[in-house]
Amino acid sequence: MSTIPSITLNNGTRIPQLGFGVWQVEDDAAEAAVRTAIEAGYRSIDTAAIYENETGTGRGIATAGVPREELYITTKLWNSGTKDWSGPQGQDAVLREFDASLAKLGLDYVDLYLIHWPRPMHGSFGNIWSAFEKLAADGRARAVGVSNFGPAQLDALREQSGLVPVLNQVELHPYFPQDELRAYHAEHGIATEAWSPLGQGKTLLGEPALVQVAEKHGRTPAQVVLRWHLQRGVIAIPKSVTPSRIRENIDVLGFELDEADLSALAGLATGERIGPDPQGFDWN
Ligand code: NAD
């Protein structure tokens, strides 16, 4: 079993604080990547319908030989395209998408199901959330949450429903630490999950201030960034298809960043995103 810490969510379920993301992993590569990750000690896997690798991810889960109840599987509704999600057929459409994801994964429940994007320019996501309420009540999604939501959309959900999303998965890394949104989440019992937690591994991991902290601890820059997420109470889901990096990214216990390290990392914040701003971005 992994010794990675976990976080208790607002419905009483627990999520490992470090998981394995599979965006941009081809379906036929996902099986090996997921199996390698589980063998390395990851117990949480983050996929999505739009990644088109739920089948390979499911095969990796099936062949890794770890009991289902020890794993934490997240997938996401691709609430985009030309479907009328807010119309009367919206709920049925969600349930059909969910069934398709489960079938591809080869599972009979997921631990977490997320609305992938808010798409505020398309109005209400009320019907989608009603379907999510049903999935949560049925236990086919042990927990439900959202991704890329801002306070306005979270407020709208809280007004509509007594079912508060367990977490919001958003872009978050030292360049873009999301302190305001994290404060909102904390106030409302919503956990924060970081996507692109390594800043997609580009310039961030070569930042001199980060490299210096890594050298001080005898760790790699990626390990320091992941440690930073853990110490801030954030859930992180780094991606890699390289076995040595998959193992490196979970080897983040046994050292602690101190105040000087944390302020060195705080100095990297630029306030700039790598991905699109969900408030103004539509996938259509
Ligand atoms: P990431 O920050 O995890 O970076 C991954 C990249 O960093 C790898 O492709 C590799 O090039 C590099 N890398 C990984 N480990 C490294 C190491 N130890 N040393 C050096 N380089 C290393 O970026 P990501 O894949 O964009 O995000 C992680 C996961 O978040 C995704 O796989 C996906 O599951 C999720 N995600 C969700 C959304 C969303 O809208 N909800 C958007 C993007 C990503």
Side-chain angles (χ1 to χ4, degrees), residues 8 143 158 160 174 200 249 278-279:
T8 302
R158 290 188 308 107
Q160 172 195 325
Q200 298 183 2
N249 292 348
Q279 291 303 310

Side-chain angles (χ1 to χ4, degrees), residues 20-25 46-48 51 76 78 114-117 147-148 169-171 173 194-202 205 220-223 226 237-242 244-246 248-249 274 283:
F20 182 66
V22 295
W23 180 42
Q24 292 178 320
V25 179
D46 181 88
T47 184
Y51 301 169
K76 313 184 192 83
W78 189 243
L114 304 179
I115 302 181
H116 207 141
W117 282 86
S147 182
N148 298 301
Q169 183 184 115
V170 293
E171 178 175 350
H173 40 73
W195 62 252
S196 296
L198 300 173
Q200 298 183 2
K202 293 174 188 155
L205 299 182
T220 66
Q223 290 172 325
L226 293 168
I237 46 171
K239 171 250 168 186
S240 176
V241 289
T242 309
S244 59
R245 285 178 172 175
I246 292 174
E248 173 187 334
N249 292 348
I274 295 172
W283 286 99

Side-chain angles (χ1 to χ4, degrees), residues 7 50 119 157 159 173 232 245 253 275:
I7 284 189
I50 194 64
R119 302 172 77 230
L157 268 193
E159 273 164 34
H173 40 73
R232 285 161 44 99
R245 285 178 172 175
L253 303 178

Side-chain angles (χ1 to χ4, degrees), residues 3-284:
T3 46
I4 291 297
S6 59
I7 284 189
T8 302
L9 302 171
N10 66 24
N11 69 348
T13 59
R14 293 178 74 81
I15 182 172
Q17 224 186 321
L18 194 71
F20 182 66
V22 295
W23 180 42
Q24 292 178 320
V25 179
E26 296 290 332
D27 197 40
D28 54 8
E31 176 177 350
V34 167
R35 196 170 46 238
T36 302
I38 293 173
E39 285 167 0
Y42 294 81
R43 291 295 176 264
S44 170
I45 310 291
D46 181 88
T47 184
I50 194 64
Y51 301 169
E52 297 184 339
N53 58 19
E54 290 173 305
T55 304
T57 296
R59 285 202 202 105
I61 292 166
T63 56
V66 169
R68 170 69 183 95
E69 61 275 14
E70 289 181 20
L71 298 174
Y72 193 98
I73 310 302
T74 300
T75 194
K76 313 184 192 83
L77 171 75
W78 189 243
N79 54 311
S80 203
T82 51
K83 284 192 191 110
D84 181 8
W85 297 102
S86 63
Q89 305 308 314
Q91 284 196 38
D92 287 345
V94 173
L95 298 176
R96 275 197 303 275
E97 293 292 322
F98 179 80
D99 286 344
S101 284
L102 271 193
K104 285 182 187 160
L105 286 163
L107 301 176
D108 53 13
Y109 70 92
V110 293
D111 297 275
L112 179 60
Y113 196 43
L114 304 179
I115 302 181
H116 207 141
W117 282 86
R119 302 172 77 230
M121 63 295 290
H122 291 279
S124 166
F125 28 75
N127 275 331
I128 295 179
W129 197 245
S130 299
F132 273 52
E133 285 174 334
K134 184 169 165 28
L135 292 169
D138 291 349
R140 295 207 302 150
R142 296 281 156 93
V144 288
V146 296
S147 182
N148 298 301
F149 275 40
Q153 291 96 45
L154 292 168
D155 282 343
L157 268 193
R158 290 188 308 107
E159 273 164 34
Q160 172 195 325
S161 167
L163 184 66
V164 178
V166 293
L167 61 76
N168 187 16
Q169 183 184 115
V170 293
E171 178 175 350
L172 197 166
H173 40 73
Y175 285 147
F176 195 68
Q178 293 267 29
D179 289 339
E180 261 178 56
L181 189 57
R182 284 173 61 237
Y184 176 101
H185 289 164
E187 193 182 329
H188 297 288
I190 299 167
T192 304
E193 183 167 51
W195 62 252
S196 296
L198 300 173
Q200 298 183 2
K202 293 174 188 155
T203 52
L204 174 66
L205 299 182
E207 286 286 352
L210 172 59
V211 171
Q212 220 176 357
V213 174
E215 282 169 359
K216 171 178 152 185
H217 290 280
R219 296 287 183 151
T220 66
Q223 290 172 325
V224 167
V225 171
L226 293 168
R227 186 73 221 170
W228 173 82
H229 286 289
L230 298 192
Q231 287 184 214
R232 285 161 44 99
V234 169
I235 302 149
I237 46 171
K239 171 250 168 186
S240 176
V241 289
T242 309
S244 59
R245 285 178 172 175
I246 292 174
R247 290 190 282 273
E248 173 187 334
N249 292 348
I250 198 175
D251 183 16
V252 293
L253 303 178
F255 77 110
E256 189 91 14
L257 301 176
D258 62 25
E259 285 306 319
D261 303 331
L262 295 173
S263 79
L265 267 75
L268 295 177
T270 60
E272 279 177 32
R273 298 174 185 270
I274 295 172
D277 183 347
Q279 291 303 310
F281 191 76
D282 191 5
W283 286 99
N284 288 340

